[in-house]
């Protein structure tokens, strides 16, 4: 039989190198900090060089103005002096040429000095990385039911966003047709107008959108307020003047006929797997004592010969189907080795196409991964043998060790860990061992929607369950 006996992987749950994929793996983000450091150093050098040139231009200009002032006080007598005539011509030839050279050098100097940093070695993010990072924040907002303000305030420990940052997220949501969440972000941008400078055109767009959204959701008074503010900024804005009249007429004549809110009741999705998945991620669904009182933690020495001299710490998570966690089965040294080996090898993880069976990239799975065979290093072989001791399953037909790194808002949506369609069912995954290589402060859980519980990531531990039973 050509069956895979066990599938296993490692989850580096540290909180998006393949070009243009910085956002999907946090291990690549430190490279952007290095790039930022190089750019700031170059900016300092650029500014210093330009300031030196400006200083020289100021010195020459002052000297020139002094000579010119002296000449113009009595031009006729001044020009009769051959020395003065020489100096005038010199100023308009050699000295002017020197000034042109300095000015041209200012215009031509590259921000990045090739003598100090090779531009080709800098790893700069591209548009796709920005879009991926934006998707990550919006996915976190959706999955964890966060307010826009919570994210804009840095989610406790991060940097605070300014109006311009919030505008970009609102605009992206507007482009995708998510009017409700777009309004949340535009409102957040509006509330931060006074915190930093924001382009007038962006202010106008934010106010126009909020006025229109307020009207369509039945709040004409707010629509009029936003429009009045817009007219304070642009008194001659013809569109806003027309809208102001329209809103005033609507308030006066038809307040009871305004559009109803387009919010969809969350109760309609309460039985949906995705809805349960999100609630579990948010911590809204917790098991009670009656569901966990029969679960045990223990040392076990009966799984293998090795376990007789080094018993495993096992915590029961669920009995039917059986899910357990092995604690302290991956050392800090092993974790550091795996992270260091995997960093230069990580590439965007994919999912299997149900028709072709081939891997393809999807926003359903946002992470990077790589694979290691036992012959890569003795440590890999040791971990493989440990999995066999833990599970009692043969590793002869197991898949290679997979290391996965989740980046900004990284996720793997609800899925089966076995193949239930196509040719891949002929070579299937009986069980999964999932090591955790980091502790996670926010999020990072392994969620089982049909069983209604979430398993928190704990560094050095490993979850084990059967996919086919």
């Amino acid at each position: 039989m050509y069956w895979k006996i066990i599938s296993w992987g490692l989850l580096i749950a540290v909180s998006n190198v393949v070009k243009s994929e910085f956002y999907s793996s946090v291990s690549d983000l430190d490279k952007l900090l290095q790039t930022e450091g190089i750019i700031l150093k170059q900016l300092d050098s650029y500014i210093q060089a330009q300031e030196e040139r400006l200083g020289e231009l100021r010195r020459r200009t002052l000297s020139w103005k002094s000579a010119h002032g002296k000449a113009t006080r009595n031009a006729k007598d001044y020009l009769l002096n051959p020395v003065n005539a020489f100096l005038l011509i010199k100023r308009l030839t050699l000295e002017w040429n020197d000034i042109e050279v300095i000015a041209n050098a200012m215009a031509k100097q590259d921000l990045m000095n090739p003598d100090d940093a090779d531009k080709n070695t800098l790893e700069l993010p591209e548009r796709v990385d920005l879009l991926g990072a934006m998707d990550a924040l919006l996915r976190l907002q959706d999955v964890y039911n966060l307010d826009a303000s919570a994210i804009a305030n840095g989610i406790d420990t991060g940097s605070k966003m300014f109006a311009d940052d919030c505008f970009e997220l609102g605009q992206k949501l507007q482009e995708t047709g998510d009017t409700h969440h777009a309004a949340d972000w535009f409102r957040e941008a509006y509330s931060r107008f006074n915190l930093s400078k924001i382009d007038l055109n962006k202010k106008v767009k934010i106010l126009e959108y909020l006025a229109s959204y307020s009207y369509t959701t039945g709040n004409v008074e707010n629509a009029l307020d936003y429009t009045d503010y817009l007219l304070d900024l642009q008194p001659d804005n013809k569109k806003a003047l027309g809208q102001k009249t329209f809103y005033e007429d609507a308030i006066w004549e038809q307040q009871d006929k305004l559009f109803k809110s387009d919010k969809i009741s969350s109760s309609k999705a309460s039985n949906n797997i995705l809805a349960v998945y999100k609630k579990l991620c948010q911590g809204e669904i917790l098991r009670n004592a009656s569901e966990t009182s029969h679960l045990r933690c223990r040392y076990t020495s009966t799984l293998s010969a090795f376990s007789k001299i080094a018993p495993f710490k096992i915590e029961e998570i669920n009995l039917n189907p059986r899910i357990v966690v092995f604690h302290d089965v991956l050392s800090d040294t092993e974790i550091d080795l795996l992270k260091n080996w995997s960093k230069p090898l990580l590439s965007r993880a994919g999912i299997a196409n149900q028709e072709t069976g081939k891997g393809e990239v999807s926003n359903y799975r946002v992470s990077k991964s790589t694979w290691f065979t036992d012959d890569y290093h003795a440590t890999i072989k040791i971990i493989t043998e440990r999995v066999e001791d833990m599970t009692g399953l043969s590793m002869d037909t197991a898949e290679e060790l997979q290391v996965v790194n989740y980046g900004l808002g990284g996720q793997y949506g609800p899925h089966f860990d076995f193949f239930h369609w196509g040719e891949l069912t002929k070579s299937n995954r009986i069980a999964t061992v999932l090591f955790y290589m980091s502790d996670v402060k926010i999020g990072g859980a392994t969620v089982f929607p049909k069983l209604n519980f979430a398993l928190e990531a704990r560094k050095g531990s490993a979850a084990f369950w059967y996919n086919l039973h």
Side-chain angles (χ1 to χ4, degrees):
M1 297 176 68
Y2 300 94
W3 286 53
K4 293 286 185 184
I5 299 301
I6 183 170
S7 160
W8 56 304
L10 292 98
L11 171 65
I12 308 177
V14 293
S15 250
N16 94 105
V17 171
V18 176
K19 187 177 180 182
S20 299
E21 275 287 336
F22 289 100
Y23 72 91
S24 62
S25 171
V26 78
S27 71
D28 290 331
L29 294 177
D30 57 350
K31 298 176 183 177
L32 296 188
L33 283 178
Q34 296 172 18
T35 295
E36 190 173 49
I38 293 171
I39 289 174
L40 288 173
K41 180 181 177 182
Q42 292 300 309
L43 279 173
D44 285 339
S45 298
Y46 178 84
I47 291 169
Q48 182 180 350
Q50 297 291 46
E51 286 178 341
E52 289 174 357
R53 292 189 180 101
L54 282 172
E56 179 64 16
L57 285 177
R58 289 191 186 100
R59 186 190 67 78
R60 288 173 180 264
T61 301
L62 288 173
S63 176
W64 200 342
K65 282 182 176 179
S66 177
H68 181 71
K70 182 179 179 180
T72 54
R73 279 195 293 270
N74 191 343
K76 186 176 180 179
D77 290 342
Y78 180 87
L79 294 174
L80 288 175
N81 187 305
V83 174
N84 289 341
F86 163 73
L87 292 174
L88 174 60
I89 293 171
K90 178 178 177 289
R91 288 196 298 271
L92 292 171
T93 53
L94 294 179
E95 292 185 20
W96 173 241
N97 183 69
D98 289 344
I99 290 173
E100 281 190 318
V101 170
I102 296 171
N104 288 335
M106 293 179 69
K108 292 179 179 178
Q109 181 182 355
D110 290 334
L111 278 174
M112 300 306 297
N113 188 337
D115 294 332
D116 296 330
D118 182 354
K119 283 185 284 188
N120 293 326
T121 65
L122 290 180
E123 299 190 59
L124 291 168
E126 297 186 356
R127 177 70 177 171
V128 67
D129 285 295
L130 175 61
L131 295 176
M134 292 167 72
D135 283 336
L137 289 178
L138 298 175
R139 186 162 52 248
L140 287 173
Q141 180 183 12
D142 179 40
V143 171
Y144 291 100
N145 196 28
L146 298 175
D147 293 331
S149 60
I151 297 175
N153 285 326
I155 315 180
D156 295 333
T157 60
S159 301
K160 294 185 184 301
M161 291 183 177
F162 293 116
D164 189 71
D165 307 315
C166 299
F167 169 81
E168 296 298 339
L169 289 166
Q171 183 168 251
K172 179 174 175 59
L173 286 163
Q174 181 186 3
E175 291 170 353
T176 61
D178 190 345
T179 57
H180 175 63
H181 286 105
D184 285 344
W185 281 101
F186 282 136
R187 272 194 294 266
E188 199 60 36
Y190 171 74
S191 71
R192 293 164 190 260
F193 276 179
N194 296 327
L195 298 181
S196 63
K197 184 177 181 180
I198 181 172
D199 180 73
L200 177 60
N201 291 331
K202 291 183 178 179
K203 277 189 174 182
V204 169
K205 185 169 184 178
I206 289 168
L207 292 167
E208 285 180 342
Y209 186 88
L210 290 175
S212 175
Y213 180 80
S214 297
Y215 175 76
T216 58
T217 54
N219 196 331
V220 190
E221 290 83 359
N222 274 2
L224 183 58
D225 288 342
Y226 287 125
T227 304
D228 284 338
Y229 186 6
L230 195 164
L231 287 169
D232 288 341
L233 300 175
Q234 285 188 337
D236 298 327
N237 188 306
K238 293 182 179 179
K239 180 179 179 181
L241 288 169
Q243 291 299 107
K244 177 179 173 66
T245 301
F246 176 81
Y247 295 142
E248 288 174 339
D249 290 344
I251 291 173
W252 183 257
E253 298 175 2
Q254 299 181 353
Q255 237 179 358
D256 59 330
K257 296 181 180 179
L258 297 175
F259 293 114
K260 303 299 182 182
S261 171
D262 61 356
K263 290 183 180 179
I264 299 174
S265 172
S266 59
S267 63
K268 294 181 179 179
S270 60
N271 296 321
N272 183 275
I273 288 293
L274 189 59
V276 175
Y277 161 78
K278 291 179 180 179
K279 288 183 178 180
L280 287 167
C281 290
Q282 295 162 15
E284 291 186 10
I285 300 177
L286 299 174
R287 293 196 290 183
N288 57 43
S290 65
E291 293 174 301
T292 60
S293 59
H294 57 289
L295 302 175
R296 300 287 181 266
C297 295
R298 65 181 185 276
Y299 283 94
T300 181
S301 58
T302 60
L303 297 176
S304 63
F306 176 80
S307 67
K308 293 185 182 299
I309 57 174
F312 289 108
K313 302 176 185 176
I314 291 184
E315 178 184 357
E316 294 176 345
I317 305 299
N318 200 72
L319 297 183
N320 186 26
R322 183 171 181 262
I323 301 174
V324 299
V325 170
F326 292 87
H327 292 286
D328 302 322
V329 286
L330 202 62
S331 70
D332 288 345
T333 300
E334 290 169 331
I335 289 172
D336 289 340
L337 284 172
L338 288 167
K339 287 183 179 180
N340 290 333
W341 290 335
S342 64
K343 278 184 179 180
L345 303 175
L346 291 171
S347 60
R348 181 66 185 267
I351 61 174
N353 184 292
Q354 293 197 17
E355 295 181 2
T356 66
K358 295 181 179 180
E360 60 185 20
V361 172
S362 169
N363 285 335
Y364 200 71
R365 185 182 189 184
V366 182
S367 63
K368 287 187 176 182
S369 64
T370 190
W371 303 76
F372 292 102
T373 58
D374 285 352
D375 56 10
Y376 183 85
H377 191 275
T379 301
I380 305 296
K381 178 65 174 175
I382 291 172
I383 295 173
T384 300
E385 292 172 349
R386 188 176 306 146
V387 171
E388 187 166 308
D389 290 332
M390 291 160 52
T391 64
L393 299 174
S394 170
M395 298 297 290
D396 292 343
T397 55
E399 291 181 346
E400 298 171 357
L401 171 66
Q402 182 183 186
V403 176
V404 184
N405 178 223
Y406 288 90
L408 295 171
Q411 70 161 2
Y412 196 165
H415 64 281
F416 294 106
D417 233 12
F418 65 93
F419 301 110
H420 56 287
W421 37 259
E423 291 293 315
L424 293 173
T425 56
K426 297 179 180 179
S427 180
N428 224 319
R429 296 167 170 172
I430 288 180
T432 294
V433 172
L434 182 64
F435 288 90
Y436 297 102
M437 295 173 64
S438 293
D439 293 315
V440 183
K441 293 181 179 180
I442 303 175
T446 303
V447 171
F448 297 85
K450 288 194 173 183
L451 299 178
N452 264 11
F453 70 85
L455 183 59
E456 292 185 4
R458 188 175 301 174
K459 185 178 180 181
S461 297
F464 171 63
W465 66 85
Y466 286 94
N467 299 308
L468 304 176
H469 58 90

